[in-house]
Amino acid sequence: QVQLVESGGGLVQAGGSLRLSCAASGSFFRINTMGWYRQAPGKQRELVATVTSGGMTNYADSVKGRFTISRDNAKNTVYLQMNSLKPEDTAVYYCNAYIIVIIPALPIEFWGQGTQVTVSS
């Protein structure tokens, strides 16, 4: 059974930093794209950043220059380094991954349980 387990959320003052981690566990063949999404109260879930298995990254305009996504393929883990945090970054952050569980098969989308990030002004 494949699971994504997140850690690293919390409360931080504006201008501060946090680092989120998300590790995939279970039995699977390969992880393709991994990413982070967030959902603020009353808003839709939105893309924050993604990284392919080859290391290509994509960021939402609102976090460019402040957040950095990276991954350790040997540890099946994706990270989100968040610097210069703003109150508007407050949200539940969700890890996302497309995982090939068995071959031949298409990738399956998995989500983590979410971790709260709160930025105080």
Side-chain angles (χ1 to χ4, degrees):
Q1 186 174 356
V2 178
Q3 286 187 315
L4 299 178
V5 180
E6 301 137 336
S7 60
L11 173 64
V12 64
Q13 289 188 330
S17 298
L18 281 175
R19 189 191 194 208
L20 306 182
S21 300
C22 171
S25 64
S27 178
F28 51 86
F29 178 67
R30 187 178 70 228
I31 304 175
N32 288 353
T33 299
M34 304 184 81
W36 292 94
Y37 290 72
R38 67 186 181 185
Q39 188 167 18
K43 295 188 177 182
Q44 288 189 328
R45 191 173 297 188
E46 63 177 5
L47 169 73
V48 176
T50 61
V51 58
T52 68
S53 57
M56 292 184 62
T57 58
N58 179 53
Y59 294 93
D61 288 342
S62 59
V63 306
K64 283 181 181 177
R66 300 188 298 122
F67 291 10
T68 302
I69 190 170
S70 62
R71 64 190 284 174
D72 184 333
N73 291 329
K75 295 182 178 180
N76 298 318
T77 299
V78 62
Y79 306 96
L80 186 68
Q81 178 66 43
M82 304 184 292
N83 299 328
S84 303
L85 282 161
K86 305 175 181 179
E88 50 264 44
D89 294 318
T90 295
V92 177
Y93 284 69
Y94 295 92
C95 176
N96 173 275
Y98 285 85
I99 300 176
I100 299 174
V101 178
I102 60 172
I103 53 171
L106 294 174
I108 299 173
E109 185 178 30
F110 289 89
W111 290 93
Q113 80 283 358
T115 185
Q116 177 70 47
V117 171
T118 302
V119 184
S120 62
S121 57

